[in-house]
Amino acid sequence: EKVRLSAEKRLTVIQEIAQAAGIDGMVGGQALDVLSEKFTSEEKTLREIHRRKTGALIVAAVKSGAIISNAPKEKIQALAEYGINVGLAFQIADDILNVEGDRELMGKETGSDAAHGKLTYPSLMGLEKAKEKLAKYIEAAEVSLSDFDERARPLILIARYVKERKS
């Protein structure tokens, strides 16, 4: 059975994805990432880069599904919080893997962030604090789904995978 969406719903989803990809999302985050190399060392800047680069697209994905299924605003907001936290966690995990990941498993060299003077959570606060931040964002992602039923289980498993991934 083909799902028919109203023009309004289609436009809402298109707008979510476009904003997540554009200057307020991935493109803006990438630009900020490049501009911030070797110039800033603030956690606020780093969080904004990560929120845009990865988090914005994850937020768009989970919100779009909720919009299509007529979820109430509070559920959409909870999913947005989930996406923000998983996106931040994903980038922190990526930063950590660049320091201590297995080169063979990852299929790329480690240490490239440090060699390029890139602003990362490990370079900003050390590896242990970065791991604490990662755990905090994963926990926040799971908490944001506390009002959902078992259908949210795949999202919880995705969050846990982000924390435990090796490549």
Side-chain angles (χ1 to χ4, degrees):
E1 178 182 332
K2 201 171 192 177
V3 176
R4 299 267 182 221
L5 296 177
S6 68
E8 182 181 340
K9 221 174 241 180
R10 288 177 196 214
L11 287 173
T12 301
V13 169
I14 290 167
Q15 183 179 16
E16 286 290 333
I17 295 167
Q19 283 181 326
I23 194 71
D24 290 333
M26 184 181 58
V27 170
Q30 187 64 39
L32 191 56
D33 191 15
V34 170
L35 292 171
S36 71
E37 285 180 14
K38 299 178 183 167
F39 292 108
T40 185
S41 59
E42 291 183 19
E43 184 179 352
K44 183 176 150 189
T45 302
L46 187 54
R47 186 180 191 284
E48 184 64 11
I49 290 168
H50 287 350
R51 183 195 66 76
R52 289 184 184 190
K53 272 178 68 175
T54 305
L57 287 174
I58 294 171
V59 170
V62 293
K63 279 181 73 178
S64 294
I67 290 165
I68 289 168
S69 65
N70 295 316
K73 283 189 196 261
E74 63 273 4
K75 295 282 189 184
I76 294 172
Q77 185 54 45
L79 288 166
E81 288 297 318
Y82 165 85
I84 290 166
N85 285 300
V86 166
L88 290 166
F90 184 91
Q91 286 295 148
I92 295 170
D94 209 49
D95 289 351
I96 292 168
L97 285 171
N98 195 275
V99 174
E100 66 176 16
D102 183 315
R103 192 171 60 84
E104 294 295 318
L105 284 176
M106 293 174 52
K108 64 180 185 177
E109 289 298 324
T110 57
S112 61
D113 289 346
H116 293 105
K118 194 168 181 175
L119 179 62
T120 66
Y121 274 85
S123 71
L124 185 64
M125 60 185 59
L127 209 46
E128 288 312 307
K129 286 263 192 239
K131 289 178 182 181
E132 288 172 19
K133 284 277 184 191
L134 170 60
K136 177 187 147 220
Y137 286 126
I138 294 299
E139 183 181 343
E142 289 188 35
V143 167
S144 69
L145 300 176
S146 60
D147 288 338
F148 288 79
D149 60 22
E150 72 282 347
R151 291 175 292 176
R153 184 104 178 109
L155 293 177
I156 291 170
L157 294 175
I158 289 169
R160 291 179 183 168
Y161 169 76
V162 165
K163 182 179 176 190
E164 295 160 11
R165 71 189 182 103
K166 302 292 180 209
S167 64

